[in-house]
Amino acid sequence: MNKIVVVTGGAGYIGSHTVVALSDAGYTPVIIDDFRNAQPWIIDRIEQITGHRPAVFDIDCQDEVKVAKVFDQYETIFGLIHFAADKAVGESVNNPLKYYQNNIGSLCTVLKVAEERGVRNIVFSSSCTVYGAVSDPVVTENHPVKAAMSPYGDTKITCEKIVRFTQAVSDSMTAILLRYFNPIGAHPTALIGELPQGIPNNLVPYIAQTAKGVREKLTVFGNDYNTPDGTNIRDYIHVVDLAKAHVSALAYLSSKEKQICDIVNLGSGHGTSVLEIIESFEKVNDLKLNYEIGPRRPGDVEQIYADASKAKNLLGWTCEYEVEDALKHAWEWEKTIEKMETK
Ligand code: WQD
C-alpha cells in the first residue's frame, strides 16, 4: 500500500520538486497549498512528469478545521513535510506580523493536527538563515543559532524550537529539521521551476530574468568583501538534489525505532561566489549577462557554506548535480516561462 505523505506548500518551488521526488520514490504525496505563492498549473506539470496526479487541497494551513478534514480522509499518514511559509527576507522586514502570524501559526496548526492523529515522521523545512552572520564560513549543525537578522529568519528559529519541544513530549512524533542553503535551478524536464512573484529577491532567478530581457541588468551587491573576488560566497544546491534529500530524511526517520528530533544541513559543501555564478551561467548557457557592481545589500552574510558530512553519514545523501547543471536547468526553465507568457 502506498505511503501517504502530506506536503504543505507542495505546489511551491521546493515543494513541487519534493512531490515529484516522493512520487518517483513510490510514496503518495498529498498537497495542501493555498496557492498564495504558486500557480495551479504546476499540478498539471507534476502529473506530466510523474504520471500521477497528487490530491490537492487549496487550504490555508492556519485553518485547523479544514486541515484536520484533509488528514481525516486518510486511514494512515506515513509522514508530513511542512514547507508552507512566506519566505521573502526583505518583505518580512517591512511586514513582520504577516510572517510571524503565517509562518508560526501554520506550523502550530499543522503540527497539532498531525500530533493528534499520531503521525510519526515529521520533516520541517528550515534554513541556513538561522546561523546568521558566521565567523567561520563552513558551518556544521552544531554552529550556534544566532539572533535572527530578519523576521523571516526569526520565524525559522522559532519554528525549529516549536518542532523540538512538541516532539519531546509526543508519544508518536519523530522529526528532522532540514536547514537548506541556497536552492537553485529547476527540474531537468523544464516543466517545473522557480516562479518568483514580482522582482526576484534571489540571485539566480534575477540572473535568468536578466538573460531573458525581463530585467535590464543584474546588480552585484558589493565586490569589496573579504573573499577571493570580493563578492559574497554561498552554497548553491540543485533543487532536485534538495528534493531527494527529503525522501532520504523520511526513510531515515522511519528506520529509527527511537523517537528523535535531529537537524541536518542540506548543502553541497562547496562555496561559490556571485561572480563565479555569473561566469558559470554565461558559460554553460553560451550568453553574455548585463551586470554592474553596486553597493552592498544590508544584512548580507559575507560567506557561508555547509559542512555537509552529517547529511551524507546520517541520510546517505549527497548532491548529484553540479552548480553548472542547476544554472543550465534554470535557464531552460526560464525560457519556457517566456513561451507561456507569449501565449
Ligand atoms: C545570494 C547572493 C546577494 C541578488 C536566500 C534566502 C534565505 C535562504 C538562503 C531560504 C548574495 C547576491 C542577490 C541580486 C546579488 N533561503 N545577489 N544581486 O541572501 O543567500 O539567502 O537563500 O530560506 O532565506 O534569502 O540568497 O540569492 O538573495 O543572494 O548580488 O540581485 O547573491 O548579495 O550575496 P541569500 P540570494
Side-chain angles (χ1 to χ4, degrees), residues 5-10 14-15 18-19 22 29-30 32 71 77 79-84 110 119 121-125 178 180 243 245-247 249-250:
V5 179
V6 173
V7 184
T8 69
I14 302 169
T18 301
V19 165
L22 286 166
V30 170
I32 294 179
F71 277 69
I77 292 177
L80 163 69
I81 304 180
H82 184 61
F83 289 108
V110 171
V119 176
N121 304 308
I122 308 293
V123 179
F124 176 66
S125 164
L178 299 180
Y180 310 154
H246 291 74
V247 178
L250 276 177

Side-chain angles (χ1 to χ4, degrees), residues 22 28 37 39 41 52 72 76 94 104 122 129 140 146 149 152 158 169 180 211 221 224 228 281 313:
L22 286 166
T28 301
N37 191 18
Q39 294 300 320
W41 48 259
H52 303 286
D72 291 341
T76 311
N94 299 320
I104 294 171
I122 308 293
T129 305
T140 69
K146 289 218 181 125
M149 296 166 83
Y152 163 78
T158 307
V169 293
Y180 310 154
F221 296 144
D224 57 351
F281 188 90
N313 301 332

Side-chain angles (χ1 to χ4, degrees), residues 89 127 129 152 182 201-203 219 221 232 234 297 300:
V89 175
S127 164
T129 305
Y152 163 78
N182 288 58
N201 299 298
N202 299 132
L203 177 65
T219 302
F221 296 144
N232 289 153
R234 293 289 185 276
R297 179 172 69 176
D300 269 341

Side-chain angles (χ1 to χ4, degrees), residues 87 89 126-129 152 156 180-183 200-206 218-222 225 231-234 236 274 297 300-302 304:
K87 59 163 191 171
V89 175
S126 190
S127 164
C128 65
T129 305
Y152 163 78
K156 286 299 181 186
Y180 310 154
F181 280 69
N182 288 58
N201 299 298
N202 299 132
L203 177 65
V204 172
Y206 202 105
L218 169 78
T219 302
V220 173
F221 296 144
Y225 287 97
T231 63
N232 289 153
I233 292 172
R234 293 289 185 276
Y236 296 95
V274 175
R297 179 172 69 176
D300 269 341
V301 172
E302 179 167 88
I304 182 170

Side-chain angles (χ1 to χ4, degrees), residues 191-218:
L191 287 170
I192 55 175
E194 195 164 7
L195 283 167
Q197 286 183 336
I199 301 173
N201 299 298
N202 299 132
L203 177 65
V204 172
Y206 202 105
I207 285 177
Q209 289 191 7
T210 303
K212 197 171 78 176
V214 172
R215 308 290 161 203
E216 196 243 329
K217 75 175 127 191
L218 169 78

